[in-house]
Amino acid sequence: MTDPVPEQANAGDPPLLEARDIVKRFTGVLALDRVTLSLRPGEVHALVGENGAGKSTLIKVITGVHRPDEGEVRLAGRTAGFADPLDAQRAGVQAVHQEIGLVPDLSVARNLLLGREPRRALGLIDTRRMHQTAARTLESYGVRVDVRLPLRSLGVGAQQMVALARAVSVDARVVIMDEPTSSLEPREVETLFGVIDRLRGQGIAVIYVSHRLDELYRICDGVTVLRDGRVVHQGALADLDRLRLVSLMLGRDVAQVRSEGVTRFSGAHEASGRPVLEASGLTSRHLLDDVSLTIRPREVVGLGGLLGAGRTETAKAIAGVLPLDAGGVTVAGLPVRRGSATAAVRAGIALLPEDRKAEGIVPTLSVRDNIALAALPRLARAGVVSDARIDRIVETFMKRLRIKATGPHQPVAELSGGNQQKVLLARWLATEPKVLLLDEPTRGIDVGAKAEVQALVDELAEAGLAVLLISSDLEELVEGSDRVVVLRGGAVVGELTGDELTEEGVMTTIAAHTRENAG
Amino acid sequence: MTTEQATADTPVTQDAYAPSRRDRTFGLIQRHGATAVLVLLLLVGSLSFARFPTGENLGDIAITSSFPAMVALGMTFVIITGGIDLSVGSVFALGGVLAAYAVRWGTVAGLLVPLAVCGVVGLVQGLLIARVRLAPFIVTLAGLLGARGLLLSISHEGATTYLIPHGTVLARLGQGHLFGLGYPVYLTLVLFVIGGVVLQRTGFGQAVYAIGGAEDAAALMGVPVARTKVVVYVLSGMLAGLSGALNAARLSSGVTILGTGMELDVIAAVVIGGTLLTGGAGSVSGTIAGVLLLGVIQNLINQIGDLSSSYQQVVSGAFLAVVVVAQTYLSRARRL
């Protein structure tokens, strides 16, 4: 593809892009706290951190989507207060996002060259030359397609390559890649790395956001680890071993782990009997690769892994929300129709989603109505629902889950985060599920409420439910689960029980080298 | 990595990204479905009715279709951006009344006054939609009422009907023939050719498609979103005004009650022609097929004679429903 590239990232070069002491608040919440980042020409810099660490905010500040409250972004030594993303693009700061910023119904060539089409007399677009140029450009990115086809007809990986080619060909000086490989095939990843090498040779600086450790160590020079809006580590990636990087990202110091322990989990339950949930071979292109797991009644199984490892996807697949290419789920021995959320609910699977605002709570409805929502079909007789029956159920759960509200008729929006979470939990418990999938049940709620939700999870398992627990809080995961299945790149890479089940054990499993199979 | 079948030295082949045959078939149906049905209807009509395939009858279809066709051309642009223009029926009538009113100052005025006023109606609507970010449906609904009100005030609540005297150049523009086809038919064809070139071969055309396909992405790619939207509504207004002016010239008078409900026929023709109501895809050639299709259906029902012409509406409605269902199904199937 390209000639071997001389090492260009000399320490003596002045920084090409600099973010200095960036502070950004959203309605009082500190999203970035004096974050500093600097890139030399030709440097590929890894930006890592878990959900909510501030990566996206930092990228948005750099690309002009957000204005920093304090601090400044400097490009080639000059202050660059980008008014909007277009302004940043004109200055040579290009971002390639996960959700591709192209027009699916336009042809590949028109997408690639939109606004820069080759012209003929009268300013008309020269279609033939446009197609030739587009085909030639894309070929150098390993994409050989009929450029006259709509972009939509391409695979996601090829679409991403088109987006990248477009970004880079507009005189880019800084390219930001947000999880660029999340939907690429291995061979496409190789092509991407070739392109990055070429950018490096041209003195373009790259910010590379990814959670795939193998990729980071292969392609990146420097690294910045963000956590809770602060830089917790900055330096050369080669000086940082994998376990240390994982522990920095997760915020769990290997040594510090043993001295603490403040969750409200009681510890192991007596899991008993045959598995109530059996998921086997769950496979979905780019997301899940042959994930199998079982949960018995009274058992809490944790899902470990970094962001994007496939934890949420696994839960969604079990709940029938994520379309699957292969694999299946059985509840109490009976198969559940694949890809049907309704069938999953009927079989007794309840999913408490990660984003409760977007996917769960109906904020304008009352506590009572929110709880009754999922159970309505079961409560109805000939389509008519008895108010008295609903009231009884709502009262039971408000008491049992200790939901703090002025009454069943208070709008849910007025409740605290923890109580909203409990309302959601109540909604699903009202359907009398056998399997409870909890995706980040304690995220974004205060410490007290967190402990209560944790205690509830314990209680529910005691009461005979099979529970799947997803948590980025490593401590919560380890303390709350009887068994932890560790995912990486959408596949199961380890399972920890008993004495192995420690925070260090989980981190070591996450950090372990992947088999070299990507060729 | 999730899959192991690929190795580094496998070239990225075209096959890997070639669209399926099903995909291509769907695309063909979407783009040329209206044309195919039109050809079919022309054949069936010619075989069934002796009076159908005569030059006179076909010329009649052409001239009656040419007026909605001009309006539909503007509407095609609007709908491809993902918008809608409900005001065109009123603006069409307004254009006719203005032409008849202004012809006293000469033919040039008789054409320019409606073009200018209707362009301004489009401009105001476009600014409200693109800059103030109001919903096109509401803005152009207001435009529908406003334009109708304006024309009523000019015609004194419809009490005054302005005439376009026979023998004036404007009247001849509307009524003249060349090789059996009315002048407006030729003008319509020229406008459609220009429209097609603009849509396919200019930056403006690209912007129209890009905005309808993904507005946010288009903005990020540097497309002048607001400006393009404004221009599209101005175009739609001007084309509706021009069509109305020529129609008045053909009828020799600015009839105030024309154009009621025309916006719906025009939208139907555009959608039948394969332009997606959701925006981002469509073509002017499809639109012309859509307009002609509705015109031929009406003509054939008239040929049957003992059928009430009201059935034309039933048939057109049913046809539209079929097309929209097919479109929804096709686009869903393609996105899987």
Side-chain angles (χ1 to χ4, degrees):
Chain A
M1 171 150 298
T2 42
D3 301 326
V5 173
E7 196 59 54
Q8 291 234 345
N10 297 319
D13 290 346
L16 178 58
L17 178 84
E18 243 188 318
R20 279 192 190 167
D21 295 321
I22 303 286
V23 175
K24 180 73 194 170
R25 287 183 199 85
F26 291 112
T27 56
V29 181
L30 203 56
L32 290 176
D33 185 6
R34 290 194 305 281
V35 170
T36 294
L37 177 72
S38 100
L39 275 87
R40 295 182 307 275
E43 177 180 355
V44 181
H45 195 93
L47 181 61
V48 296
E50 283 291 273
N51 241 339
K55 285 172 309 182
S56 339
T57 314
L58 180 60
I59 290 175
K60 283 178 176 163
V61 167
I62 293 175
T63 52
V65 178
H66 294 323
R67 299 295 201 92
D69 294 327
E70 289 168 39
E72 59 171 4
V73 176
R74 296 170 71 84
L75 188 65
R78 271 185 301 167
T79 304
F82 300 129
D84 53 43
L86 208 54
D87 199 22
Q89 283 179 28
R90 290 209 186 94
V93 177
Q94 291 279 349
V96 183
H97 292 289
Q98 247 175 312
E99 65 283 2
I100 299 152
L102 298 176
V103 186
D105 280 318
L106 278 187
S107 79
V108 174
R110 291 182 194 269
N111 262 296
L112 185 68
L113 297 170
L114 190 70
R116 297 174 293 125
E117 300 93 346
R119 300 301 173 106
R120 283 192 324 197
L122 298 171
L124 295 184
I125 294 168
D126 187 338
T127 321
R128 187 141 54 92
R129 217 144 48 85
M130 178 173 75
H131 289 151
Q132 284 168 354
T133 312
R136 217 175 323 113
T137 310
L138 286 179
E139 204 161 336
S140 69
Y141 290 87
V143 181
R144 252 167 257 153
V145 295
D146 183 348
V147 294
R148 291 166 302 178
L149 293 173
L151 182 81
R152 177 169 29 76
S153 64
L154 266 55
V156 185
Q159 290 192 26
Q160 195 133 27
M161 280 298 174
V162 176
L164 181 65
R166 180 183 164 86
V168 172
S169 55
V170 196
D171 293 325
R173 300 158 84 183
V174 177
V175 177
I176 299 168
M177 301 185 187
D178 192 356
E179 301 268 5
T181 55
S182 58
S183 46
L184 297 187
E185 303 283 347
R187 56 161 186 244
E188 294 169 332
V189 173
E190 290 309 311
T191 315
L192 176 75
F193 286 173
V195 171
I196 292 178
D197 270 336
R198 191 155 25 128
L199 298 180
R200 199 196 299 260
Q202 292 164 357
I204 292 170
V206 177
I207 297 180
Y208 192 90
V209 181
S210 177
H211 292 88
R212 300 188 173 175
L213 300 182
D214 294 336
E215 290 173 16
L216 295 181
Y217 278 96
R218 234 190 99 184
I219 199 79
C220 297
D221 312 310
V223 62
T224 295
V225 185
L226 288 181
R227 199 173 63 229
D228 301 328
R230 273 190 297 271
V231 175
V232 293
H233 182 88
Q234 211 155 37
L237 192 57
D239 301 341
L240 194 64
D241 72 52
R242 284 167 170 252
L243 184 57
R244 177 105 184 94
L245 178 58
V246 172
S247 74
L248 281 168
M249 286 163 72
L250 296 181
R252 304 301 300 171
D253 200 321
V254 180
Q256 172 201 349
V257 165
R258 295 179 187 88
S259 61
E260 289 182 15
V262 287
T263 56
R264 286 274 298 273
F265 291 114
S266 60
H269 323 98
E270 278 301 307
S272 58
R274 303 221 344 254
V276 58
L277 177 87
E278 281 183 84
S280 54
L282 303 178
T283 302
S284 178
R285 210 165 116 92
H286 299 311
L287 296 173
L288 292 178
D289 182 19
D290 198 18
V291 173
S292 300
L293 56 87
T294 60
I295 314 176
R296 288 175 294 169
R298 303 166 63 82
E299 187 180 33
V300 180
V301 173
L303 273 186
L306 295 175
L307 191 73
R311 294 170 301 172
T312 296
E313 289 78 5
T314 302
K316 284 188 167 173
I318 294 174
V321 191
L322 183 83
L324 283 179
D325 299 320
V329 174
T330 66
V331 173
L334 297 171
V336 181
R337 192 152 63 85
R338 195 203 282 174
S340 163
T342 323
V345 170
R346 232 176 256 148
I349 298 175
L351 168 66
L352 199 64
E354 189 177 9
D355 185 351
R356 62 173 172 268
K357 286 217 176 67
E359 298 178 40
I361 281 289
V362 187
T364 47
L365 287 185
S366 68
V367 172
R368 174 182 183 276
D369 293 343
N370 263 292
I371 292 178
L373 215 52
L376 275 181
R378 245 175 23 87
L379 296 176
R381 216 166 270 155
V384 182
V385 185
S386 148
D387 262 0
R389 270 187 82 187
I390 295 183
D391 285 339
R392 245 189 341 266
I393 287 174
V394 169
E395 204 194 313
T396 313
F397 281 109
M398 284 186 70
K399 211 176 281 168
R400 185 167 156 208
L401 302 189
R402 299 176 289 270
I403 295 172
K404 287 189 199 80
T406 55
H409 296 287
Q410 189 179 15
V412 161
E414 294 172 9
L415 266 52
S416 70
N419 279 301
Q420 290 189 5
Q421 190 69 296
K422 287 191 205 165
V423 168
L424 263 187
L425 200 54
R427 177 197 293 176
W428 288 114
L429 292 177
T431 66
E432 295 172 10
K434 300 190 183 76
V435 182
L436 192 57
L437 313 173
L438 303 172
D439 195 353
E440 302 284 0
T442 62
R443 167 168 309 151
I445 62 182
D446 63 68
V447 184
K450 199 166 171 168
E452 267 194 59
V453 171
Q454 288 168 346
L456 262 175
V457 171
D458 247 6
E459 268 178 50
L460 294 170
E462 292 288 346
L465 275 172
V467 180
L468 182 74
L469 175 68
I470 298 176
S471 176
S472 296
D473 181 341
L474 203 50
E475 187 180 1
E476 179 175 292
L477 187 73
V478 168
E479 302 269 308
S481 312
D482 304 311
R483 194 148 58 85
V484 168
V485 173
V486 178
L487 297 176
R488 190 177 55 217
V492 176
V493 291
E495 186 174 320
L496 304 165
T497 45
D499 289 344
E500 314 159 336
L501 183 48
T502 60
E503 293 181 34
E504 197 181 342
V506 174
M507 288 195 289
T508 312
T509 314
I510 293 173
H513 282 261
T514 328
R515 296 163 290 151
E516 283 300 325
N517 60 18
Chain B
M1 290 294 99
T2 49
T3 46
E4 295 182 55
Q5 80 256 20
T7 51
D9 49 349
T10 315
V12 182
T13 58
Q14 181 155 347
D15 297 348
Y17 301 122
S20 68
R21 173 173 300 187
R22 203 176 81 147
D23 220 50
R24 254 180 294 183
T25 318
F26 286 164
L28 276 180
I29 294 175
Q30 158 133 38
R31 265 175 283 130
H32 303 297
T35 316
V37 176
L38 178 63
V39 170
L40 195 73
L41 270 187
L42 286 175
L43 280 175
V44 170
S46 305
L47 295 175
S48 313
F49 303 101
R51 278 170 300 148
F52 180 79
T54 60
E56 193 187 347
N57 189 45
L58 293 179
D60 205 40
I61 295 177
I63 185 80
T64 43
S65 298
S66 66
F67 301 104
M70 285 182 230
V71 183
L73 179 60
M75 185 70 80
T76 307
F77 278 79
V78 171
I79 293 184
I80 293 177
T81 63
I84 196 91
D85 189 349
L86 298 178
S87 71
V88 290
S90 294
V91 173
F92 173 82
L94 177 64
V97 171
L98 283 171
Y101 181 79
V103 78
R104 67 186 67 172
W105 301 306
T107 297
V108 174
L111 282 174
L112 282 189
V113 169
L115 273 177
V117 175
C118 297
V120 168
V121 172
L123 178 69
V124 173
Q125 296 186 140
L127 288 174
L128 287 175
I129 290 163
R131 302 272 179 209
V132 192
R133 292 175 172 274
L134 300 179
F137 189 94
I138 295 302
V139 171
T140 59
L141 185 60
L144 180 156
L145 300 171
R148 188 63 70 178
L150 192 58
L151 99 84
L152 285 177
S153 77
I154 295 169
S155 64
H156 311 109
E157 308 287 324
T160 314
T161 302
Y162 301 101
L163 297 179
I164 300 176
H166 275 284
T168 57
V169 180
L170 185 61
R172 254 182 284 144
L173 270 182
Q175 297 160 2
H177 283 259
L178 185 67
F179 307 124
L181 289 174
Y183 289 157
V185 176
Y186 293 102
L187 179 65
T188 304
L189 287 176
V190 170
L191 286 174
F192 267 79
V193 169
I194 297 175
V197 171
V198 166
L199 208 46
Q200 298 301 328
R201 292 295 187 88
T202 64
F204 170 73
Q206 297 310 292
V208 168
Y209 279 114
I211 290 169
E215 189 169 328
D216 294 337
L220 273 181
M221 289 159 90
V223 170
V225 174
R227 198 174 70 208
T228 307
K229 280 190 177 177
V230 173
V231 172
V232 155
Y233 285 94
V234 171
L235 262 182
S236 176
M238 288 177 76
L239 283 167
L242 175 68
S243 174
L246 290 172
N247 190 47
R250 176 161 162 264
L251 302 175
S252 301
S253 66
V255 184
T256 55
I257 55 162
L258 285 178
T260 312
M262 183 191 203
E263 60 280 350
L264 301 180
D265 289 338
V266 166
I267 292 168
V270 171
V271 172
I272 288 171
T275 297
L276 290 182
L277 260 183
T278 44
S283 66
V284 298
S285 57
T287 294
I288 218 168
V291 173
L292 283 175
L293 191 55
L294 292 184
V296 168
I297 289 176
Q298 175 163 33
N299 189 276
L300 283 175
I301 284 173
N302 290 343
Q303 299 284 339
I304 298 171
D306 50 345
L307 263 179
S308 157
S309 67
S310 315
Y311 281 102
Q312 189 252 327
Q313 306 251 3
V314 177
V315 174
S316 304
F319 199 80
L320 180 65
V322 169
V323 167
V324 174
V325 168
Q327 271 189 1
T328 313
Y329 172 72
L330 292 178
S331 57
R332 236 182 249 156
R334 278 193 306 170
R335 269 164 234 273
L336 278 183

